Amino acid sequence: MPLADRRIAAWGWPLIALRLAAMLALLVASVALYYAFAPFTARNPVPRRFLRGVGAIAGLRVQVRGAQPARRTFFLANHVSWLDILAIAGRTGSAFVAHDGLAQIGPLRWLCEMNDTVFVARHERRSVSAQIEQVRAALSDTGALTIFPEGTTSDGTGTLAFKSSLLSAIEGDSDIPVQPVWLDYGVETRAVAWVGEEPGLDNALAILARWRPVDLTLNFLPPLSSEDRTDRKRMAAAARTAIETARSGS
């Protein structure tokens, strides 16, 4: 049953309050550590640990399977929930490509920029070339970068069509592995998925109200072969096929 169809039980609210308080305490400590590390490192280790900690507080339990990624990797992942970001960043230190709507929310933009988020206008075709340059710069600066090529979250039972425009950033660059990632929430997939018209706040509160943990298997699939990287559309199709094949074989 989708979370949008559920009401938060009375006993869920104290758990929400406790988790939000823990996240706030972690945020305050992490911001202080972030600025303490900032003068001494180009790739600050604090955001990765902060996001992993937020996931743990939210009840996320991550199991990692498959080919361990190289430090400098371009990840293409399916997208089910906001928990996806906590899991991938917590295990890889990856930065992300996000919709520029998030950049309009001041505090959220500030936090995203700490993790080197690249903001793109998905519906602004005139800026595609500039976005590609942003992606190239982010790969150079951060090492690992994750794109959710579906462009939105799905219910997790299938994979939407992969958009390929931003993959132009790595066409012809064989030095950067391109690795599909399948996020598998198992039997809880529909319950945690953020889809349809459900407000993001409602989804987040419903997950924070869960007493049961959220189990996620982070499947790092084999990097794409050189034959599958001849152009951006082939890359997108090959990554989607790899994720669908892994799903059907599970």
Side-chain angles (χ1 to χ4, degrees):
M1 179 185 298
L3 289 177
D5 296 336
R6 297 183 180 182
R7 293 179 181 273
I8 297 174
W11 55 81
W13 291 104
L15 182 57
I16 291 173
L18 181 63
R19 282 176 161 162
L20 289 176
M23 288 178 185
L24 180 59
L26 178 61
L27 173 62
V28 171
S30 296
V31 168
L33 287 171
Y34 176 86
Y35 286 110
F37 275 101
F40 307 106
T41 178
R43 183 59 176 151
N44 201 305
V46 174
R48 173 180 183 172
R49 288 165 174 76
F50 168 71
L51 293 171
R52 187 167 183 167
V54 170
I57 292 169
L60 185 63
R61 298 194 307 194
V62 180
Q63 179 180 6
V64 178
R65 291 181 179 171
Q68 292 302 303
R71 183 180 178 279
R72 188 167 182 251
T73 302
F74 194 80
F75 298 110
L76 302 180
N78 64 308
H79 198 14
V80 179
S81 166
W82 52 276
L83 297 172
D84 303 347
I85 295 169
L86 307 180
I88 295 174
R91 270 38 184 204
T92 69
S94 174
F96 294 84
V97 174
H99 191 279
D100 64 350
L102 294 177
Q104 307 307 313
I105 306 172
L108 188 55
R109 179 187 180 97
W110 172 59
L111 290 173
C112 289
E113 287 180 341
M114 285 185 176
N115 196 50
D116 300 316
T117 300
V118 178
F119 295 106
V120 298
R122 291 176 183 153
H123 303 295
E124 182 58 71
R125 291 188 174 276
R126 291 173 299 178
S127 64
V128 168
S129 60
Q131 292 168 12
I132 289 171
E133 289 305 315
Q134 284 180 277
V135 170
R136 286 175 177 159
L139 274 169
S140 175
D141 294 342
T142 67
L145 185 67
T146 299
I147 286 181
F148 298 112
E150 292 168 294
T152 185
T153 50
S154 72
D155 65 5
T157 59
T159 309
L160 305 177
F162 275 17
K163 299 175 175 62
S164 64
S165 59
L166 293 180
L167 301 187
S168 297
I170 53 172
E171 279 186 316
D173 190 344
S174 59
D175 293 332
I176 302 175
V178 179
Q179 188 163 14
V181 181
W182 172 38
L183 296 107
D184 177 21
Y185 289 90
V187 297
E188 296 289 353
T189 297
R190 287 184 179 274
V192 302
W194 176 18
V195 293
E197 299 301 319
E198 181 185 15
L201 179 60
D202 290 356
N203 180 275
L205 290 176
I207 289 177
L208 295 179
R210 290 171 53 102
W211 288 89
R212 295 193 315 276
V214 178
D215 290 313
L216 166 63
T217 302
L218 200 56
N219 296 277
F220 289 101
L221 307 177
L224 298 185
S225 66
S226 57
E227 291 78 10
D228 286 329
R229 296 186 55 177
T230 52
D231 60 66
R232 61 182 176 85
K233 291 186 177 181
R234 185 160 182 175
M235 271 190 277
R240 183 176 184 272
T241 297
I243 291 171
E244 283 292 280
T245 299
R247 189 198 310 277
S248 63
S250 65

